[in-house]
Amino acid sequence: MSLRLLRDVNWHGFRPSYNTWFLARITPPLAMISREPTLERLAVARALLLEPFGLTDAALSQALRTIAAHRIDDADLYFQYTRSEGWGLEEGMVKSGSFGIDQGVGVRAVCGEKTAFAYSDDISEAALMDAARTVRTIAGAGQSRSVKVTGHHRVAKSHALYASTDPIATLDSAHKVALLEKVEKLARAKDPRIKQVMAGLASEYDVILVARADGTLAADVRPLVRLSVTVIAEQTSSGEVRRESGTGGGGGRVGLSYFQDAVIEGYVNDAVNAALVNLEALPLRAGEMSVVLGPGWPVCCCTRL
């Protein structure tokens, strides 16, 4: 039996009106409620991965019982929802944009040294049971102990390492474009030798839910953003035009509000400085050179260009 891996859907040039409606539809209002972080993440995961598809805790337990019917050592269910968005600016205008959704469910069964996986991009009770029946076939009679699947779930303890923020919704489209335009303006103002600026803004909202055979439920909501800038510097020396590039950027598991003026200027400085240093760089001379190796286990890597 073959089950397809997670779905990847990309729409280019999507209409802002549809995008706004889509974000309002799938962004759970639970994020507005103050609660213990572990419970908040679990509530968000349920709202995105279980409730829209009519799945309940009882359905998860039934799938795990189906797997355990053939005497496996352990089993778990893995649900994932990922929404991503990207913007690209070049030559003073937004030239690229993308929006994608990956979602699906995976089932794992462990029997001794054997592990079986099944995946489906269709999150439904029928697909979940189909995957469960697929992975349980790895178990052989007498090869392992039986696993008791409990119908009562307990929430796994976790640490609040980052906020459960949907970064895509933290700025509207107009402000995202304005952010990229600000990057270009800053870069060009740094030095007249900067002739071209390319900036990119990427956001990702990742939600996962894991259900184990022992009744443990664990969830995580992982935002991720990145702002990148590439510049091309040009200068003429002795009648010869030389072009060099430099890059900068950064991000983290935060919202887009992280990119304040000071942060943006730091990325731009990194890119511009790298390009200008490259303009003044001299070619490496050929021939033998001294190599100094430190103590311990040093390595000298030689390449041919």
Side-chain angles (χ1 to χ4, degrees):
M1 176 180 181
S2 175
L3 294 173
R4 285 189 298 133
L5 196 56
L6 304 181
R7 175 175 56 207
D8 185 10
V9 183
N10 286 285
W11 299 285
H12 295 275
F14 55 89
R15 299 192 304 274
S17 58
Y18 174 78
N19 183 39
T20 303
W21 174 88
F22 186 79
L23 291 177
R25 175 72 181 274
I26 64 178
T27 301
L30 296 167
M32 302 171 58
I33 303 174
S34 178
R35 68 178 78 192
E36 199 276 327
T38 299
L39 297 179
E40 180 180 341
R41 288 193 291 270
L42 184 59
V44 172
R46 287 182 184 276
L48 283 176
L49 293 167
L50 299 184
E51 294 172 5
F53 308 101
L55 291 175
T56 62
D57 288 353
L60 305 187
S61 297
Q62 180 58 38
L64 290 167
R65 288 193 190 96
T66 300
I67 302 171
H70 280 210
R71 305 179 68 84
I72 49 88
D73 292 321
D74 200 4
D76 51 41
L77 312 176
Y78 183 94
F79 296 84
Q80 184 169 12
Y81 171 93
T82 302
R83 180 154 43 93
S84 58
E85 181 186 80
W87 298 80
L89 180 141
E90 186 176 353
E91 298 178 352
M93 63 183 70
V94 176
K95 287 195 171 182
S96 63
S98 64
F99 184 82
I101 293 178
D102 297 331
Q103 65 179 24
V105 57
V107 179
R108 181 181 66 163
V110 179
C111 177
E113 297 180 354
K114 297 181 293 183
T115 303
F117 297 95
Y119 304 88
S120 175
D121 61 357
D122 176 21
I123 302 180
S124 65
E125 187 170 356
L128 184 60
M129 295 302 298
D130 199 11
R133 285 188 289 267
T134 300
V135 299
R136 74 179 183 180
T137 59
I138 68 163
Q143 289 185 334
S144 62
R145 61 180 177 84
S146 60
V147 176
K148 181 180 179 181
V149 178
T150 176
H152 302 285
H153 292 94
R154 61 182 180 86
V155 180
K157 295 181 180 179
S158 62
H159 301 283
L161 301 178
Y162 34 81
S164 301
T165 304
D166 179 1
I168 298 176
T170 54
L171 283 181
D172 59 27
S173 299
H175 285 90
K176 292 171 185 174
V177 173
L179 176 61
L180 295 176
E181 291 174 341
K182 179 187 294 186
V183 171
E184 183 191 36
K185 183 178 179 180
L186 282 173
R188 291 186 181 276
K190 291 293 181 181
D191 195 284
R193 290 172 290 180
I194 301 300
K195 301 301 182 182
Q196 189 173 356
V197 180
M198 293 156 284
L201 182 64
S203 308
E204 183 178 282
Y205 183 56
D206 190 29
V207 181
I208 64 170
L209 175 67
V210 178
R212 295 194 58 191
D214 62 1
T216 301
L217 282 178
D220 199 9
V221 179
R222 302 180 293 194
L224 184 64
V225 298
R226 177 170 175 79
L227 177 64
S228 59
V229 54
T230 300
V231 302
I232 297 178
E234 177 183 307
Q235 73 177 8
T236 303
S237 178
S238 302
E240 182 179 347
V241 178
R242 181 173 180 179
R243 297 182 181 88
E244 295 291 346
S245 64
T247 60
R253 296 200 177 279
V254 291
L256 292 174
S257 59
Y258 170 76
F259 299 119
Q260 300 296 318
D261 290 347
V263 175
I264 295 173
E265 187 163 5
Y267 297 159
V268 170
N269 286 337
D270 290 342
V272 171
N273 291 340
L276 298 183
V277 168
N278 288 337
L279 278 180
E280 306 297 333
L282 300 176
L284 185 66
R285 63 181 177 85
E288 295 183 358
M289 299 181 64
S290 300
V291 178
V292 179
L293 302 179
W297 298 88
V299 175
C300 184
C301 181
C302 300
T303 63
R304 294 183 61 187
L305 301 178

